[in-house]
Amino acid sequence: MRYMSTSHRCAAMLFSMLCVVLTWGHPDGAAAQGTTDQVELGKIALEAKDWRVRQAAVEKLTDQALLAKVAVEDKDWDVRRTATEKLISHGVLKKIAKMDKVGYVRAAAVEKLTDQTLLAKVAVEDKDDGVRRAAVKHLMDQGVLAKLAVEDEEESVCLAAVKKLTDQLLLGKVATEADWAVSGIAVKKLTDQVVLAKVAVEGERTVGKSAVEKLSDQSLLTRVVVEAKNEDVRQAAVKKHTDQTLLAKVAVGDKDEGVRRAAIEKVTNQVVLAKVAMEDKDGEVRRAAVGQLMDQALLEKLAMRAPWLDIRERVISKVTNQVLLRQLAEKDSQAAIRLAAVRRITDDRFLVERLPMEPSAIVRSAVVETLHEQSSLHAVALMADRAGDREHALRRLERKFPGTMASDVVAAHEVLAGRVTSLGTETDNGKLLALVLKGEFDVLRHTAANRLADLVTLEQAALRSRDREVLKILLKKIDDKGALNRIAGTAADRAMRLAVNHKGGAKLGTTFSLLLRPKVQQQSSWATRSLPFRSSCQRSQKLRMPFSRPA
């Protein structure tokens, strides 16, 4: 039976007040209220039939013998409790604490006991948690308190017991064995570093981390890092550690990726960081290592040799060696690597020259976004081979340099559009073939390819062109088996040869996919027209009418 809740206590008080009122109306009650004579009060306390009258008499009674008799023999538990609360005799109190059938009465007796042996017995054995709590309140035995904190089935008793514990070893035991709420209080009361380390090693996650927060001894933190059974606890210990040798060892060899990552965030050894970035199996750990890596020589090595694409990208974003960045932008087979490299390049001349040779639209877009000078953007907007690159450069020119006079670029774009429109009626296959093979802009080559109808001219274009978009157009238009066989054997573009071989039996999408594979080093003559780096005289002559129809 538990102690009464607040609402129950309020109800009990109201009930008691009502009882007092009723008691005053009773003849014996009035007698009890009106006398202080202990004999008369004793007689009423023992003989009155109404329990409220007996209780009223007990409240004024001081005779210990009579109180003892009432506390042991009265049939009403509330009367017995009232008498017990006024008792002094430890002998009677002990008897009541052990034998009364009602928990409230036993608790009232226990509250007045000082016998530690009996208190310990009651705290462990009494069936009523309210009585056990009353015993704990006066109990001093640290061993019994620890036992109760761990083993009692009622949480309120466990909490009461742990709050009275002061012995550090026993607090450590409770911290590792009790339920989490009790363990948390035990850890808060711990100050002994050795015990805290033991709790961190043996305790569950929350308790272990709380113990680590209170640890400051580096040697004990080392023990936790090595021995703790919970990974989160070891991770917390790593975060508080300062020994670079241990941190490096953990970063490279710990079995848990979270612990390795925590160590990486504190490691300063650049060689260790590079090793982890190159070899660790976990992506988050590798990326954390790259985040800490500053040594340019090691960064360059990783940029070239790391087996992980995302690591190479992240490393390149920290590389400052422009020669290496240009090498990667030119020669790496991975578009993502070329993309990361061009974003770090500061040389506009290289970027402008690289643009027509870059097969990836995403990388070309990054090239345009990376250009620094107005003249570079102007040149790309004016002369870039691909329509998307020209339009992108024009938009960025107007955005980055507001008020820029780009009228010549806009006019040139309009002239080019007119040339494309005029091709809609062109029937001269010789002129069309010349544009397919040597047209200075993609839109001219593609429009000309779409206009070709003569099989001989189509075959010549398919044999000689290296423009993949043009080749896709031509492949759709050629069905003659003889022409296809010749193209399959001698076409200048290898992907075109493979695509023609597949055309007979493969799906069209599969055939075209061969033509979509990028050529990293696509050749173009446009790079020789990098106008921003010529003399002003040459530039003005070249810019005059860049899209004019050739004579």
Side-chain angles (χ1 to χ4, degrees):
M1 186 183 295
R2 295 180 175 84
Y3 281 142
M4 288 183 287
S5 65
T6 302
S7 59
H8 287 165
R9 285 197 298 270
C10 292
M13 289 176 62
L14 291 172
F15 183 69
S16 297
M17 293 173 64
L18 178 61
C19 290
V20 170
V21 173
L22 293 174
T23 301
W24 289 345
H26 192 284
D28 288 338
Q33 291 294 326
T35 183
T36 58
D37 183 271
Q38 292 298 296
V39 175
E40 186 177 353
L41 287 170
K43 183 177 180 181
I44 295 172
L46 292 172
E47 297 177 1
K49 293 182 179 181
D50 192 303
W51 69 269
R52 293 164 294 185
V53 176
R54 298 197 304 275
Q55 186 174 41
V58 167
E59 288 175 350
K60 300 184 70 176
L61 195 62
T62 59
D63 186 294
Q64 289 294 303
L66 291 173
L67 284 170
K69 186 175 180 62
V70 172
V72 172
E73 297 178 0
D74 198 280
K75 295 179 180 180
D76 186 86
W77 68 267
D78 209 358
V79 176
R80 295 199 306 276
R81 182 180 63 176
T82 303
T84 298
E85 289 173 348
K86 303 189 71 176
L87 277 176
I88 298 174
S89 172
H90 278 257
V92 179
L93 289 169
K94 288 178 182 180
K95 180 179 179 181
I96 295 170
K98 290 188 289 185
M99 299 180 63
D100 198 281
K101 294 180 180 181
V102 178
Y104 290 120
V105 182
R106 296 198 304 275
V110 168
E111 288 281 3
K112 306 193 76 176
L113 287 176
T114 58
D115 186 321
Q116 292 295 303
T117 302
L118 180 58
L119 285 170
K121 181 177 176 64
V122 171
V124 173
E125 297 179 1
D126 200 282
K127 295 180 180 180
D128 190 290
D129 60 272
V131 179
R132 298 198 302 277
R133 278 198 305 275
V136 166
K137 189 186 299 184
H138 300 283
L139 189 61
M140 304 299 293
D141 189 309
Q142 294 288 292
V144 176
L145 288 169
K147 177 180 174 68
L148 290 167
V150 173
E151 298 179 3
D152 199 280
E153 62 185 18
E154 176 61 40
E155 186 181 72
S156 63
V157 177
C158 297
L159 292 172
V162 75
K163 288 176 182 177
K164 293 207 67 183
L165 268 178
T166 57
D167 185 284
Q168 292 290 293
L169 290 176
L170 291 174
L171 280 168
K173 177 179 173 65
V174 172
T176 57
E177 297 180 8
D179 289 341
W180 68 270
V182 179
S183 297
I185 294 175
V187 172
K188 287 181 180 179
K189 298 188 73 175
L190 280 173
T191 57
D192 187 289
Q193 291 283 293
V194 174
V195 177
L196 282 166
K198 186 175 188 297
V199 171
V201 169
E202 299 176 1
E204 297 301 323
R205 175 181 177 275
T206 303
V207 172
K209 289 180 69 175
S210 297
V212 168
E213 288 176 5
K214 300 185 74 173
L215 272 176
S216 57
D217 187 292
Q218 291 292 303
S219 63
L220 292 174
L221 282 168
T222 299
R223 181 191 170 196
V224 177
V225 170
V226 175
E227 299 179 12
K229 65 181 182 181
N230 184 275
E231 290 79 5
D232 288 344
V233 175
R234 290 194 291 120
Q235 186 175 334
V238 166
K239 289 179 179 180
K240 293 193 72 174
H241 221 294
T242 58
D243 186 333
Q244 285 295 311
T245 301
L246 175 71
L247 290 170
K249 181 178 179 181
V250 172
V252 172
D254 197 276
K255 63 182 180 181
D256 182 76
E257 62 272 12
V259 178
R260 295 198 304 276
R261 188 165 63 249
I264 280 295
E265 292 173 357
K266 299 199 72 177
V267 167
T268 58
N269 187 311
Q270 296 289 292
V271 175
V272 171
L273 291 169
K275 178 179 175 64
V276 172
M278 178 76 82
E279 300 176 1
D280 200 280
K281 295 179 180 180
D282 184 82
E284 288 296 327
V285 177
R286 295 194 300 270
R287 289 188 282 274
V290 172
Q292 298 288 97
L293 196 56
M294 303 299 295
D295 186 284
Q296 284 295 310
L298 293 171
L299 286 167
E300 291 171 18
K301 179 180 177 182
L302 286 170
M304 296 295 291
R305 301 181 187 176
W308 317 96
L309 180 61
D310 66 320
I311 294 303
R312 294 186 68 201
E313 288 182 273
R314 286 172 180 263
V315 165
I316 290 169
S317 71
K318 302 180 80 171
V319 167
T320 59
N321 185 332
Q322 292 293 305
V323 174
L324 175 61
L325 291 170
R326 288 194 293 269
Q327 179 184 344
L328 292 169
E330 285 180 324
K331 299 180 179 179
D332 201 277
S333 61
Q334 296 277 3
I337 299 303
R338 300 196 302 278
L339 176 65
V342 299
R343 286 173 170 166
R344 297 282 294 166
I345 292 173
T346 58
D347 184 356
D348 268 22
R349 183 187 186 92
F350 172 85
L351 292 172
V352 171
E353 291 176 352
R354 177 63 199 161
L355 185 64
M357 295 183 285
E358 173 53 58
S360 167
I362 294 176
V363 179
R364 292 197 306 275
S365 177
V367 169
V368 174
E369 284 294 324
T370 306
L371 289 171
H372 308 87
E373 301 298 331
Q374 179 178 344
S375 57
S376 303
L377 286 167
H378 188 274
V380 172
L382 200 60
M383 300 302 294
D385 176 74
R386 297 172 177 88
D389 299 339
R390 294 192 300 274
E391 294 295 336
H392 186 182
L394 177 58
R395 291 194 303 271
R396 186 158 185 265
L397 182 67
E398 293 172 337
R399 184 174 70 247
K400 185 172 182 181
F401 302 100
T404 299
M405 294 301 293
S407 57
D408 59 332
V409 177
V410 175
H413 285 197
E414 292 174 353
V415 170
L416 178 58
R419 291 180 65 186
V420 171
T421 301
S422 68
L423 284 176
T425 58
E426 183 62 69
T427 58
D428 187 325
N429 283 305
K431 290 183 178 180
L432 291 172
L433 179 60
L435 280 173
V436 167
L437 298 177
K438 297 182 179 180
E440 62 268 45
F441 300 106
D442 61 343
V443 66
L444 293 176
R445 297 193 299 275
H446 301 163
T447 304
N450 276 309
R451 289 293 300 164
L452 283 176
D454 178 67
L455 179 60
V456 174
T457 310
L458 284 167
E459 182 179 341
Q460 284 298 310
L463 287 169
R464 298 164 62 186
S465 177
R466 290 182 179 274
D467 185 320
R468 294 283 172 85
E469 292 299 322
V470 167
L471 292 174
K472 285 168 61 179
I473 295 169
L474 298 174
L475 189 58
K476 285 183 178 180
K477 297 167 76 75
I478 300 172
D479 292 312
D480 183 82
K481 290 185 178 181
L484 289 172
N485 286 335
R486 289 187 291 275
I487 294 169
T490 59
D493 188 89
R494 179 175 179 271
M496 184 61 168
R497 298 197 299 272
L498 295 172
V500 169
N501 279 322
H502 280 74
K503 183 171 182 179
K507 294 181 179 179
L508 196 60
T510 304
T511 304
F512 288 158
S513 70
L514 296 170
L515 294 175
L516 292 175
R517 293 173 183 170
K519 298 176 290 182
V520 175
Q521 287 289 71
Q522 184 178 357
Q523 298 300 315
S524 171
S525 61
W526 181 76
T528 63
R529 319 198 290 268
S530 301
L531 298 181
F533 311 106
R534 296 174 181 269
S535 67
S536 58
C537 178
Q538 290 174 310
R539 183 160 59 248
S540 63
Q541 291 174 354
K542 194 69 178 179
L543 292 177
R544 191 166 296 147
M545 284 298 287
F547 300 135
S548 59
R549 186 189 301 276

